[in-house]
Amino acid sequence: MNLTSLVYGLVVYIVVLLSLANGTVFMDDHCGGTIQHIGDRMYSQSQKYYRNNMDCITTLKATYDYQSISIDFDWIDFENAVAGCIDYLEVYDGPDTSATLIKRMCGRYEPADILSSGRYLTLRLVTDGTRTDKGFNLVFTSFHNTKLTDRPCNVTGQYRCDTYRCIDATLKCDGRDNCGDWSDEHDCPGSWLTVWAIIGIVTAALVLLTCGLILILALCGFCSSLCKTKRPRTTDEPTTQTTTDIAGYQMSNVTANTSLTQPPPYPYAAAPPTYSDTADALPQKEGIGE
């Protein structure tokens, strides 16, 4: 796993944790049911990967009958092939799958936003038995558009987006794009900025950690090459020494091998007597010269 994949996975994990702290809906917990809510984040499943052999249908219902439903996708991740979708998510413009099919989605990308024409949107998640992936991550919101209707925003209980949507006031500064242009997250100290600050700190820490590990490994290799134990160097080159024998004669150019152990000095005897002293000391033979 390279650094980019690690950072991407960690960022997704942090976003998921922050989303869970704000409340999250899991589609596979509502198969066959209807969710009526002012707006929330929805994942395909609570586990990391969706299950095999699913055919889960969930309907989203706006809070009031004059409202519509918007879906803002963060990402989808479904198995696909050249021939077409294998696992997929379908969105229908109505209370069930008999309504008009708006879109079928698979692969890995960020789809465009989807708006209902009425009060309902229906989601259908279909998977086979070969492989599982991460599914989807989206935000759905109940809203009405002041530009399309004569109903203004309720100044006490709703927030007016820059896109002319009226959403519940509690959705402002919740870290989610309920307006479709992030205008509900403007001027929100300590909310969305905190999320990006955490992501930035974690990313920077991972980069610094990786660089530090590389530097440590490089230093260890350099020190290892310097600290290798070297074998003692021996030489057979002779050295010249000058010594003086006991009789007082100087001997030069005497060679010795420094790699050998020198024997102790030889115990020389006393110097021999001179020739004249030896002649006087010889005994005379009888009968010779007489």
Side-chain angles (χ1 to χ4, degrees), residues 198-234:
I198 294 174
I199 293 174
I201 291 172
V202 172
T203 303
L206 286 173
V207 172
L208 291 176
L209 179 61
T210 303
C211 294
L213 290 175
I214 294 174
L215 180 61
I216 291 173
L217 292 175
L219 289 175
C220 288
F222 179 72
C223 293
S224 177
S225 63
L226 291 180
C227 299
K228 285 182 180 178
T229 305
K230 296 183 178 180
R231 297 178 61 185
R233 183 180 178 183
T234 59

mmCIF file of all heavy atoms in Angstrom, residues 198-234:
data_model
loop_
_atom_site.group_PDB
_atom_site.id
_atom_site.type_symbol
_atom_site.label_atom_id
_atom_site.label_comp_id
_atom_site.label_asym_id
_atom_site.label_seq_id
_atom_site.Cartn_x
_atom_site.Cartn_y
_atom_site.Cartn_z
ATOM 1 N N ILE A 198 -8.548 18.908 11.063
ATOM 2 C CA ILE A 198 -8.175 17.557 11.493
ATOM 3 C C ILE A 198 -7.605 16.763 10.325
ATOM 4 O O ILE A 198 -6.566 16.090 10.449
ATOM 5 C CB ILE A 198 -9.388 16.835 12.101
ATOM 6 C CG1 ILE A 198 -9.817 17.528 13.405
ATOM 7 C CG2 ILE A 198 -9.070 15.368 12.369
ATOM 8 C CD1 ILE A 198 -11.096 16.976 13.985
ATOM 9 N N ILE A 199 -8.265 16.839 9.173
ATOM 10 C CA ILE A 199 -7.780 16.115 8.001
ATOM 11 C C ILE A 199 -6.385 16.606 7.607
ATOM 12 O O ILE A 199 -5.483 15.819 7.284
ATOM 13 C CB ILE A 199 -8.770 16.272 6.833
ATOM 14 C CG1 ILE A 199 -10.088 15.569 7.167
ATOM 15 C CG2 ILE A 199 -8.183 15.705 5.538
ATOM 16 C CD1 ILE A 199 -11.176 15.784 6.144
ATOM 17 N N GLY A 200 -6.183 17.936 7.631
ATOM 18 C CA GLY A 200 -4.879 18.487 7.285
ATOM 19 C C GLY A 200 -3.790 18.061 8.245
ATOM 20 O O GLY A 200 -2.674 17.720 7.836
ATOM 21 N N ILE A 201 -4.100 18.058 9.542
ATOM 22 C CA ILE A 201 -3.108 17.657 10.541
ATOM 23 C C ILE A 201 -2.722 16.198 10.372
ATOM 24 O O ILE A 201 -1.548 15.831 10.419
ATOM 25 C CB ILE A 201 -3.664 17.922 11.961
ATOM 26 C CG1 ILE A 201 -3.771 19.429 12.214
ATOM 27 C CG2 ILE A 201 -2.773 17.272 13.018
ATOM 28 C CD1 ILE A 201 -4.477 19.794 13.504
ATOM 29 N N VAL A 202 -3.726 15.340 10.165
ATOM 30 C CA VAL A 202 -3.444 13.913 9.998
ATOM 31 C C VAL A 202 -2.619 13.668 8.736
ATOM 32 O O VAL A 202 -1.653 12.896 8.747
ATOM 33 C CB VAL A 202 -4.764 13.109 9.962
ATOM 34 C CG1 VAL A 202 -4.495 11.662 9.590
ATOM 35 C CG2 VAL A 202 -5.459 13.177 11.307
ATOM 36 N N THR A 203 -2.969 14.349 7.638
ATOM 37 C CA THR A 203 -2.221 14.179 6.394
ATOM 38 C C THR A 203 -0.779 14.635 6.558
ATOM 39 O O THR A 203 0.162 13.949 6.139
ATOM 40 C CB THR A 203 -2.900 14.972 5.261
ATOM 41 O OG1 THR A 203 -4.259 14.536 5.116
ATOM 42 C CG2 THR A 203 -2.163 14.757 3.943
ATOM 43 N N ALA A 204 -0.590 15.805 7.176
ATOM 44 C CA ALA A 204 0.767 16.303 7.398
ATOM 45 C C ALA A 204 1.564 15.362 8.298
ATOM 46 O O ALA A 204 2.750 15.120 8.066
ATOM 47 C CB ALA A 204 0.707 17.703 8.012
ATOM 48 N N ALA A 205 0.903 14.813 9.324
ATOM 49 C CA ALA A 205 1.598 13.887 10.222
ATOM 50 C C ALA A 205 2.044 12.627 9.488
ATOM 51 O O ALA A 205 3.147 12.121 9.703
ATOM 52 C CB ALA A 205 0.686 13.533 11.398
ATOM 53 N N LEU A 206 1.195 12.115 8.595
ATOM 54 C CA LEU A 206 1.574 10.927 7.826
ATOM 55 C C LEU A 206 2.747 11.209 6.909
ATOM 56 O O LEU A 206 3.671 10.387 6.784
ATOM 57 C CB LEU A 206 0.369 10.438 7.010
ATOM 58 C CG LEU A 206 -0.744 9.745 7.795
ATOM 59 C CD1 LEU A 206 -1.930 9.463 6.889
ATOM 60 C CD2 LEU A 206 -0.240 8.449 8.411
ATOM 61 N N VAL A 207 2.737 12.371 6.263
ATOM 62 C CA VAL A 207 3.847 12.727 5.370
ATOM 63 C C VAL A 207 5.142 12.857 6.167
ATOM 64 O O VAL A 207 6.206 12.348 5.770
ATOM 65 C CB VAL A 207 3.524 14.026 4.621
ATOM 66 C CG1 VAL A 207 4.737 14.509 3.833
ATOM 67 C CG2 VAL A 207 2.347 13.808 3.672
ATOM 68 N N LEU A 208 5.072 13.563 7.301
ATOM 69 C CA LEU A 208 6.272 13.727 8.133
ATOM 70 C C LEU A 208 6.763 12.392 8.674
ATOM 71 O O LEU A 208 7.973 12.147 8.738
ATOM 72 C CB LEU A 208 5.967 14.685 9.290
ATOM 73 C CG LEU A 208 5.745 16.154 8.901
ATOM 74 C CD1 LEU A 208 5.353 16.967 10.129
ATOM 75 C CD2 LEU A 208 6.999 16.736 8.266
ATOM 76 N N LEU A 209 5.840 11.522 9.054
ATOM 77 C CA LEU A 209 6.238 10.207 9.563
ATOM 78 C C LEU A 209 6.944 9.396 8.488
ATOM 79 O O LEU A 209 7.969 8.762 8.753
ATOM 80 C CB LEU A 209 4.999 9.468 10.060
ATOM 81 C CG LEU A 209 5.230 8.048 10.601
ATOM 82 C CD1 LEU A 209 6.161 8.081 11.805
ATOM 83 C CD2 LEU A 209 3.909 7.400 10.973
ATOM 84 N N THR A 210 6.415 9.432 7.274
ATOM 85 C CA THR A 210 7.045 8.693 6.182
ATOM 86 C C THR A 210 8.437 9.235 5.883
ATOM 87 O O THR A 210 9.396 8.467 5.731
ATOM 88 C CB THR A 210 6.172 8.776 4.921
ATOM 89 O OG1 THR A 210 4.865 8.273 5.225
ATOM 90 C CG2 THR A 210 6.770 7.973 3.786
ATOM 91 N N CYS A 211 8.560 10.569 5.815
ATOM 92 C CA CYS A 211 9.879 11.169 5.569
ATOM 93 C C CYS A 211 10.851 10.843 6.694
ATOM 94 O O CYS A 211 12.036 10.589 6.455
ATOM 95 C CB CYS A 211 9.728 12.680 5.413
ATOM 96 S SG CYS A 211 8.802 13.186 3.949
ATOM 97 N N GLY A 212 10.350 10.858 7.930
ATOM 98 C CA GLY A 212 11.216 10.519 9.056
ATOM 99 C C GLY A 212 11.723 9.094 9.007
ATOM 100 O O GLY A 212 12.894 8.822 9.280
ATOM 101 N N LEU A 213 10.844 8.157 8.645
ATOM 102 C CA LEU A 213 11.262 6.760 8.526
ATOM 103 C C LEU A 213 12.303 6.584 7.437
ATOM 104 O O LEU A 213 13.287 5.842 7.599
ATOM 105 C CB LEU A 213 10.045 5.881 8.248
ATOM 106 C CG LEU A 213 9.058 5.717 9.403
ATOM 107 C CD1 LEU A 213 7.841 4.914 8.948
ATOM 108 C CD2 LEU A 213 9.719 5.026 10.596
ATOM 109 N N ILE A 214 12.113 7.268 6.301
ATOM 110 C CA ILE A 214 13.092 7.180 5.213
ATOM 111 C C ILE A 214 14.430 7.729 5.659
ATOM 112 O O ILE A 214 15.489 7.151 5.387
ATOM 113 C CB ILE A 214 12.561 7.931 3.975
ATOM 114 C CG1 ILE A 214 11.318 7.222 3.414
ATOM 115 C CG2 ILE A 214 13.643 8.032 2.900
ATOM 116 C CD1 ILE A 214 10.657 7.972 2.282
ATOM 117 N N LEU A 215 14.421 8.860 6.375
ATOM 118 C CA LEU A 215 15.662 9.458 6.853
ATOM 119 C C LEU A 215 16.364 8.556 7.853
ATOM 120 O O LEU A 215 17.593 8.383 7.808
ATOM 121 C CB LEU A 215 15.363 10.821 7.482
ATOM 122 C CG LEU A 215 16.566 11.592 8.038
ATOM 123 C CD1 LEU A 215 17.560 11.884 6.923
ATOM 124 C CD2 LEU A 215 16.102 12.892 8.698
ATOM 125 N N ILE A 216 15.598 7.941 8.760
ATOM 126 C CA ILE A 216 16.198 7.046 9.754
ATOM 127 C C ILE A 216 16.845 5.836 9.082
ATOM 128 O O ILE A 216 17.964 5.425 9.422
ATOM 129 C CB ILE A 216 15.129 6.598 10.774
ATOM 130 C CG1 ILE A 216 14.709 7.786 11.661
ATOM 131 C CG2 ILE A 216 15.648 5.459 11.644
ATOM 132 C CD1 ILE A 216 13.555 7.473 12.566
ATOM 133 N N LEU A 217 16.156 5.262 8.104
ATOM 134 C CA LEU A 217 16.719 4.116 7.383
ATOM 135 C C LEU A 217 17.992 4.495 6.649
ATOM 136 O O LEU A 217 18.964 3.727 6.618
ATOM 137 C CB LEU A 217 15.681 3.560 6.405
ATOM 138 C CG LEU A 217 14.462 2.888 7.040
ATOM 139 C CD1 LEU A 217 13.458 2.483 5.963
ATOM 140 C CD2 LEU A 217 14.869 1.670 7.862
ATOM 141 N N ALA A 218 18.007 5.699 6.050
ATOM 142 C CA ALA A 218 19.205 6.147 5.342
ATOM 143 C C ALA A 218 20.368 6.344 6.309
ATOM 144 O O ALA A 218 21.510 5.956 6.026
ATOM 145 C CB ALA A 218 18.905 7.439 4.583
ATOM 146 N N LEU A 219 20.088 6.943 7.483
ATOM 147 C CA LEU A 219 21.152 7.150 8.474
ATOM 148 C C LEU A 219 21.672 5.824 9.024
ATOM 149 O O LEU A 219 22.882 5.662 9.253
ATOM 150 C CB LEU A 219 20.625 8.021 9.612
ATOM 151 C CG LEU A 219 20.379 9.503 9.270
ATOM 152 C CD1 LEU A 219 19.753 10.217 10.462
ATOM 153 C CD2 LEU A 219 21.683 10.175 8.867
ATOM 154 N N CYS A 220 20.772 4.869 9.240
ATOM 155 C CA CYS A 220 21.204 3.564 9.735
ATOM 156 C C CYS A 220 22.114 2.873 8.727
ATOM 157 O O CYS A 220 23.125 2.261 9.092
ATOM 158 C CB CYS A 220 19.978 2.683 10.023
ATOM 159 S SG CYS A 220 19.045 3.206 11.477
ATOM 160 N N GLY A 221 21.770 2.967 7.448
ATOM 161 C CA GLY A 221 22.620 2.375 6.428
ATOM 162 C C GLY A 221 23.970 3.036 6.361
ATOM 163 O O GLY A 221 25.011 2.372 6.199
ATOM 164 N N PHE A 222 24.001 4.378 6.505
ATOM 165 C CA PHE A 222 25.272 5.095 6.456
ATOM 166 C C PHE A 222 26.144 4.740 7.652
ATOM 167 O O PHE A 222 27.338 4.489 7.518
ATOM 168 C CB PHE A 222 24.994 6.600 6.424
ATOM 169 C CG PHE A 222 26.233 7.451 6.400
ATOM 170 C CD1 PHE A 222 27.016 7.520 5.258
ATOM 171 C CD2 PHE A 222 26.604 8.170 7.514
ATOM 172 C CE1 PHE A 222 28.157 8.301 5.235
ATOM 173 C CE2 PHE A 222 27.741 8.950 7.507
ATOM 174 C CZ PHE A 222 28.527 9.017 6.365
ATOM 175 N N CYS A 223 25.518 4.697 8.841
ATOM 176 C CA CYS A 223 26.288 4.358 10.045
ATOM 177 C C CYS A 223 26.775 2.916 9.998
ATOM 178 O O CYS A 223 27.876 2.610 10.472
ATOM 179 C CB CYS A 223 25.428 4.584 11.291
ATOM 180 S SG CYS A 223 25.029 6.313 11.596
ATOM 181 N N SER A 224 25.983 2.036 9.454
ATOM 182 C CA SER A 224 26.391 0.644 9.360
ATOM 183 C C SER A 224 27.623 0.480 8.497
ATOM 184 O O SER A 224 28.520 -0.307 8.802
ATOM 185 C CB SER A 224 25.236 -0.187 8.799
ATOM 186 O OG SER A 224 25.624 -1.533 8.629
ATOM 187 N N SER A 225 27.692 1.253 7.412
ATOM 188 C CA SER A 225 28.865 1.152 6.543
ATOM 189 C C SER A 225 30.115 1.704 7.218
ATOM 190 O O SER A 225 31.225 1.261 6.970
ATOM 191 C CB SER A 225 28.603 1.902 5.235
ATOM 192 O OG SER A 225 28.406 3.278 5.489
ATOM 193 N N LEU A 226 29.923 2.723 8.106
ATOM 194 C CA LEU A 226 31.082 3.294 8.800
ATOM 195 C C LEU A 226 31.534 2.454 9.983
ATOM 196 O O LEU A 226 32.713 2.471 10.355
ATOM 197 C CB LEU A 226 30.738 4.706 9.291
ATOM 198 C CG LEU A 226 30.561 5.781 8.210
ATOM 199 C CD1 LEU A 226 30.225 7.114 8.873
ATOM 200 C CD2 LEU A 226 31.825 5.914 7.371
ATOM 201 N N CYS A 227 30.605 1.744 10.582
ATOM 202 C CA CYS A 227 30.905 1.034 11.815
ATOM 203 C C CYS A 227 31.251 -0.430 11.605
ATOM 204 O O CYS A 227 31.276 -1.204 12.565
ATOM 205 C CB CYS A 227 29.718 1.137 12.778
ATOM 206 S SG CYS A 227 29.325 2.836 13.257
ATOM 207 N N LYS A 228 31.466 -0.844 10.383
ATOM 208 C CA LYS A 228 31.849 -2.228 10.159
ATOM 209 C C LYS A 228 33.214 -2.509 10.791
ATOM 210 O O LYS A 228 34.135 -1.719 10.681
ATOM 211 C CB LYS A 228 31.914 -2.510 8.662
ATOM 212 C CG LYS A 228 30.541 -2.646 8.008
ATOM 213 C CD LYS A 228 30.695 -2.972 6.540
ATOM 214 C CE LYS A 228 29.323 -3.118 5.885
ATOM 215 N NZ LYS A 228 29.448 -3.397 4.438
ATOM 216 N N THR A 229 33.345 -3.649 11.426
ATOM 217 C CA THR A 229 34.605 -4.029 12.044
ATOM 218 C C THR A 229 35.598 -4.454 10.979
ATOM 219 O O THR A 229 35.335 -5.360 10.200
ATOM 220 C CB THR A 229 34.393 -5.184 13.028
ATOM 221 O OG1 THR A 229 33.405 -4.798 13.968
ATOM 222 C CG2 THR A 229 35.696 -5.554 13.736
ATOM 223 N N LYS A 230 36.754 -3.765 10.947
ATOM 224 C CA LYS A 230 37.779 -4.082 9.960
ATOM 225 C C LYS A 230 38.758 -5.101 10.531
ATOM 226 O O LYS A 230 39.144 -5.023 11.691
ATOM 227 C CB LYS A 230 38.523 -2.819 9.550
ATOM 228 C CG LYS A 230 37.638 -1.802 8.841
ATOM 229 C CD LYS A 230 38.451 -0.615 8.399
ATOM 230 C CE LYS A 230 37.587 0.375 7.639
ATOM 231 N NZ LYS A 230 38.356 1.553 7.200
ATOM 232 N N ARG A 231 39.234 -6.048 9.719
ATOM 233 C CA ARG A 231 40.231 -7.032 10.144
ATOM 234 C C ARG A 231 41.572 -6.343 10.288
ATOM 235 O O ARG A 231 41.940 -5.500 9.484
ATOM 236 C CB ARG A 231 40.331 -8.157 9.122
ATOM 237 C CG ARG A 231 39.053 -8.946 8.989
ATOM 238 C CD ARG A 231 39.185 -10.012 7.953
ATOM 239 N NE ARG A 231 40.251 -10.947 8.324
ATOM 240 C CZ ARG A 231 40.655 -11.943 7.533
ATOM 241 N NH1 ARG A 231 40.112 -12.092 6.348
ATOM 242 N NH2 ARG A 231 41.606 -12.753 7.924
ATOM 243 N N PRO A 232 42.393 -6.716 11.318
ATOM 244 C CA PRO A 232 43.716 -6.077 11.495
ATOM 245 C C PRO A 232 44.615 -6.353 10.304
ATOM 246 O O PRO A 232 44.671 -7.456 9.790
ATOM 247 C CB PRO A 232 44.249 -6.721 12.787
ATOM 248 C CG PRO A 232 43.475 -7.979 12.924
ATOM 249 C CD PRO A 232 42.130 -7.727 12.329
ATOM 250 N N ARG A 233 45.296 -5.311 9.888
ATOM 251 C CA ARG A 233 46.147 -5.414 8.716
ATOM 252 C C ARG A 233 47.500 -5.995 9.096
ATOM 253 O O ARG A 233 48.143 -5.546 10.028
ATOM 254 C CB ARG A 233 46.322 -4.035 8.095
ATOM 255 C CG ARG A 233 47.152 -4.054 6.823
ATOM 256 C CD ARG A 233 47.272 -2.666 6.286
ATOM 257 N NE ARG A 233 48.108 -2.648 5.096
ATOM 258 C CZ ARG A 233 48.449 -1.556 4.435
ATOM 259 N NH1 ARG A 233 48.020 -0.385 4.885
ATOM 260 N NH2 ARG A 233 49.185 -1.624 3.366
ATOM 261 N N THR A 234 47.939 -7.047 8.407
ATOM 262 C CA THR A 234 49.267 -7.660 8.637
ATOM 263 C C THR A 234 50.116 -7.453 7.400
ATOM 264 O O THR A 234 49.615 -7.378 6.277
ATOM 265 C CB THR A 234 49.134 -9.162 8.918
ATOM 266 O OG1 THR A 234 48.492 -9.775 7.810
ATOM 267 C CG2 THR A 234 48.306 -9.391 10.176
#
